[in-house]
Amino acid sequence: MTALTASDLTEQQRELVRYIVVQGKSPEEAANLAGYHPKSVYRTLRLPAVAAAVSESIQLDLAAVGAPLAYRVAKSLLQDEKVSARVRADLSMKVLDRAGHITPTRKDLVPQQKAFSEMSRDELASFIERNQAEIDKIEGELASRAKDISVQATEPAFLI
Protein backbone atom coordinates (compact mmCIF):
# COMPACT_ATOMS: atom_id res chain seq x y z
CA MET A 1 0.00 0.00 0.00
CA THR A 2 1.42 3.38 -0.96
CA ALA A 3 1.28 6.54 1.10
CA LEU A 4 -1.23 9.16 0.06
CA THR A 5 0.16 12.54 -0.98
CA ALA A 6 -1.26 15.91 -1.90
CA SER A 7 -0.72 14.99 -5.56
CA ASP A 8 -3.46 12.34 -5.10
CA LEU A 9 -5.99 15.17 -4.70
CA THR A 10 -7.87 17.06 -7.35
CA GLU A 11 -7.46 20.84 -7.37
CA GLN A 12 -10.99 21.15 -5.96
CA GLN A 13 -10.11 18.80 -3.07
CA ARG A 14 -6.91 20.77 -2.36
CA GLU A 15 -8.96 23.96 -2.18
CA LEU A 16 -11.42 22.31 0.21
CA VAL A 17 -8.58 21.22 2.50
CA ARG A 18 -6.99 24.69 2.33
CA TYR A 19 -10.28 26.43 3.23
CA ILE A 20 -10.89 24.11 6.18
CA VAL A 21 -7.40 23.88 7.67
CA VAL A 22 -5.61 27.08 6.72
CA GLN A 23 -8.53 29.50 6.68
CA GLY A 24 -10.57 27.79 9.42
CA LYS A 25 -13.81 27.71 7.45
CA SER A 26 -16.63 25.37 8.42
CA PRO A 27 -16.96 22.30 6.17
CA GLU A 28 -20.18 23.67 4.65
CA GLU A 29 -18.64 27.09 3.96
CA ALA A 30 -15.45 25.51 2.60
CA ALA A 31 -17.56 23.26 0.34
CA ASN A 32 -19.37 26.27 -1.07
CA LEU A 33 -16.12 28.18 -1.69
CA ALA A 34 -14.47 25.14 -3.29
CA GLY A 35 -17.45 24.47 -5.55
CA TYR A 36 -18.93 21.45 -3.75
CA HIS A 37 -22.54 20.98 -2.81
CA PRO A 38 -22.67 21.53 1.00
CA LYS A 39 -24.32 18.14 1.58
CA SER A 40 -21.56 16.24 -0.26
CA VAL A 41 -18.68 17.73 1.72
CA TYR A 42 -18.72 15.11 4.48
CA ARG A 43 -18.57 12.27 1.96
CA THR A 44 -15.62 14.03 0.30
CA LEU A 45 -13.86 14.55 3.65
CA ARG A 46 -14.07 10.78 4.33
CA LEU A 47 -12.19 9.91 1.14
CA PRO A 48 -8.81 8.46 2.22
CA ALA A 49 -6.74 10.92 0.18
CA VAL A 50 -8.71 13.94 1.44
CA ALA A 51 -8.70 12.75 5.07
CA ALA A 52 -4.93 12.18 4.86
CA ALA A 53 -4.43 15.63 3.35
CA VAL A 54 -6.48 17.26 6.13
CA SER A 55 -4.47 15.40 8.78
CA GLU A 56 -1.14 16.28 7.15
CA SER A 57 -2.15 19.94 6.76
CA ILE A 58 -3.14 20.13 10.41
CA GLN A 59 0.21 18.60 11.47
CA LEU A 60 2.14 21.06 9.29
CA ASP A 61 0.09 24.01 10.56
CA LEU A 62 0.56 22.89 14.15
CA ALA A 63 4.33 22.55 13.71
CA ALA A 64 4.72 25.86 11.86
CA VAL A 65 2.21 28.06 13.66
CA GLY A 66 0.40 26.36 16.54
CA ALA A 67 3.30 25.03 18.58
CA PRO A 68 5.42 28.22 18.48
CA LEU A 69 2.35 30.31 19.30
CA ALA A 70 1.39 28.03 22.20
CA TYR A 71 4.95 28.24 23.50
CA ARG A 72 4.94 32.06 23.34
CA VAL A 73 1.57 32.20 25.15
CA ALA A 74 2.78 29.80 27.84
CA LYS A 75 6.01 31.75 28.24
CA SER A 76 4.18 35.08 28.58
CA LEU A 77 1.78 33.63 31.17
CA LEU A 78 4.70 32.17 33.14
CA GLN A 79 6.38 35.59 33.22
CA ASP A 80 3.20 37.52 34.09
CA GLU A 81 3.16 38.21 37.86
CA LYS A 82 -0.60 38.96 37.66
CA VAL A 83 -1.34 35.33 36.77
CA SER A 84 -1.99 33.28 39.92
CA ALA A 85 0.90 31.28 41.30
CA ARG A 86 -1.17 28.11 41.06
CA VAL A 87 -1.79 28.58 37.32
CA ARG A 88 1.86 29.45 36.71
CA ALA A 89 3.05 26.40 38.66
CA ASP A 90 0.67 24.10 36.76
CA LEU A 91 1.72 25.60 33.44
CA SER A 92 5.40 25.27 34.40
CA MET A 93 4.97 21.57 35.08
CA LYS A 94 3.15 21.04 31.79
CA VAL A 95 5.78 22.91 29.78
CA LEU A 96 8.61 21.00 31.45
CA ASP A 97 6.78 17.69 30.99
CA ARG A 98 6.21 18.29 27.26
CA ALA A 99 9.86 19.23 26.91
CA GLY A 100 10.89 15.97 28.62
CA HIS A 101 12.40 17.61 31.73
CA ILE A 102 10.14 16.23 34.47
CA THR A 103 11.81 13.96 37.00
CA PRO A 104 10.40 10.45 36.66
CA THR A 105 7.90 9.49 39.35
CA ARG A 106 8.27 6.41 41.52
CA LYS A 107 5.78 4.64 39.24
CA ASP A 108 7.96 5.43 36.21
CA LEU A 109 11.02 3.97 37.94
CA VAL A 110 9.39 0.59 38.67
CA PRO A 111 10.46 -1.84 35.96
CA GLN A 112 7.61 -3.31 33.97
CA GLN A 113 6.95 -6.96 34.73
CA LYS A 114 7.37 -9.48 31.96
CA ALA A 115 4.32 -11.39 30.80
CA PHE A 116 4.10 -14.84 32.41
CA SER A 117 4.48 -16.44 28.99
CA GLU A 118 7.85 -14.68 28.57
CA MET A 119 9.25 -15.71 31.98
CA SER A 120 11.70 -18.53 32.43
CA ARG A 121 11.02 -21.34 34.91
CA ASP A 122 13.28 -19.67 37.50
CA GLU A 123 11.63 -16.26 36.99
CA LEU A 124 8.17 -17.81 37.50
CA ALA A 125 9.35 -19.58 40.67
CA SER A 126 10.81 -16.30 41.97
CA PHE A 127 7.55 -14.44 41.16
CA ILE A 128 5.49 -17.06 43.04
CA GLU A 129 7.85 -16.89 46.02
CA ARG A 130 7.67 -13.06 46.17
CA ASN A 131 3.88 -13.05 45.87
CA GLN A 132 2.95 -16.19 47.86
CA ALA A 133 1.00 -14.30 50.55
CA GLU A 134 -1.18 -12.60 47.93
CA ILE A 135 -1.65 -15.91 46.08
CA ASP A 136 -2.74 -17.64 49.33
CA LYS A 137 -5.18 -14.82 50.11
CA ILE A 138 -6.82 -15.00 46.67
CA GLU A 139 -6.97 -18.80 46.72
CA GLY A 140 -8.64 -18.63 50.16
CA GLU A 141 -11.25 -16.15 48.89
CA LEU A 142 -11.99 -18.37 45.90
CA ALA A 143 -12.23 -21.48 48.07
CA SER A 144 -14.69 -19.77 50.42
CA ARG A 145 -16.97 -19.01 47.45
CA ALA A 146 -16.83 -22.56 46.08
CA LYS A 147 -19.96 -24.70 46.21
CA ASP A 148 -19.82 -28.40 46.88
CA ILE A 149 -21.31 -30.15 43.88
CA SER A 150 -20.27 -33.70 44.76
CA VAL A 151 -23.03 -36.32 44.83
CA GLN A 152 -23.98 -37.32 48.37
CA ALA A 153 -24.06 -41.06 48.96
CA THR A 154 -27.44 -42.09 50.33
CA GLU A 155 -28.93 -45.40 51.31
CA PRO A 156 -30.97 -46.77 48.46
CA ALA A 157 -34.61 -46.93 49.34
CA PHE A 158 -36.18 -50.28 48.51
CA LEU A 159 -39.85 -50.76 48.49
CA ILE A 160 -41.05 -54.11 49.61
Side-chain angles (χ1 to χ4, degrees), residues 22-85:
V22 178
Q23 295 185 11
K25 305 284 185 190
S26 71
E28 293 84 3
E29 190 177 0
N32 188 39
L33 292 169
Y36 283 96
H37 188 278
K39 291 186 179 189
S40 70
V41 69
Y42 292 103
R43 189 173 342 119
T44 304
L45 287 171
R46 283 193 302 264
L47 294 172
V50 176
V54 168
S55 179
E56 183 179 336
S57 295
I58 289 171
Q59 289 298 320
L60 290 172
D61 189 53
L62 182 60
V65 179
L69 177 60
Y71 176 72
R72 285 194 303 275
V73 168
K75 189 174 174 182
S76 71
L77 289 172
L78 286 170
Q79 294 171 341
D80 188 347
E81 301 270 334
K82 294 180 224 161
V83 174
S84 76

Side-chain angles (χ1 to χ4, degrees), residues 89-108:
D90 184 50
L91 185 57
S92 296
M93 296 302 284
K94 288 178 180 175
V95 168
L96 289 170
D97 181 54
R98 297 310 185 273
H101 296 292
I102 295 293
T103 305
T105 63
R106 182 181 193 112
K107 184 178 106 183
D108 296 333

